[in-house]
């Protein structure tokens, strides 16, 4: 009898559909991140990043990946780093209850 292999649920190629594809990654970096070459950060705000996310067709996939991978260092899925951390902690509390 053949065994069934359970595979993780993924959305193949969702990164290709990202609204931020090709956009300067500094738009999404948090305020503390510094450029490696010591140059000052470009003056992007949270709202700049969130404006891309708001119209992104893969916002859910992106947010869930960030939460699953604990990638809280950039704005992803329409949430900045603080919001991602808060959502992560909220889910931890909910699953522990
Ligand atoms: S939700 Fe935001 S960060 Fe994520 S892929 Fe879309 S535009 Fe990029």
């Amino acid at each position: 009898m053949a065994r069934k292999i359970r595979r993780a649920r993924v959305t193949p190629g969702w990164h290709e559909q990202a609204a931020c594809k090709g956009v300067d990654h500094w738009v999404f970096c948090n305020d503390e991140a510094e450029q490696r070459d010591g140059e000052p950060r470009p003056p992007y705000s949270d709202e700049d990043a969130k404006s891309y996310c708001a119209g992104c067709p893969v916002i859910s996939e992106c947010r869930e990946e960030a939460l699953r991978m604990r990638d809280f260092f950039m704005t992803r899925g329409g949430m900045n780093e603080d919001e991602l951390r808060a959502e992560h902690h909220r889910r931890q509390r909910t699953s522990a209850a």
Side-chain angles (χ1 to χ4, degrees):
M1 181 177 191
R3 287 177 55 195
K4 286 189 177 179
I5 299 172
R6 186 173 285 195
R7 297 185 191 279
R9 184 170 168 259
V10 294
T11 306
W14 68 261
H15 294 94
E16 291 299 311
Q17 302 166 48
C20 58
K21 187 176 175 189
V23 174
D24 183 354
H25 77 283
W26 286 106
V27 172
F28 299 89
C29 290
N30 66 59
D31 290 338
E32 288 91 41
E34 294 178 12
Q35 294 196 49
R36 288 193 185 134
D37 60 8
E39 292 292 314
R41 289 187 76 249
Y44 297 119
S45 72
D46 249 15
E47 300 314 313
D48 294 325
K50 287 181 177 180
S51 70
Y52 284 99
C53 298
C56 183
V58 291
I59 188 170
S60 297
E61 287 87 346
C62 180
R63 181 184 304 145
E64 292 309 310
E65 181 179 90
L67 290 165
R68 187 174 64 254
M69 299 179 75
R70 299 184 182 199
D71 180 6
F72 306 143
F73 307 102
M74 301 180 84
T75 294
R76 294 193 59 189
M79 292 180 155
N80 66 26
E81 59 184 297
D82 293 336
E83 292 162 340
L84 285 167
R85 283 181 206 282
E87 177 62 11
H88 172 71
H89 293 308
R90 187 193 67 76
R91 290 185 184 191
Q92 279 189 319
R93 284 193 303 273
T94 302
S95 66

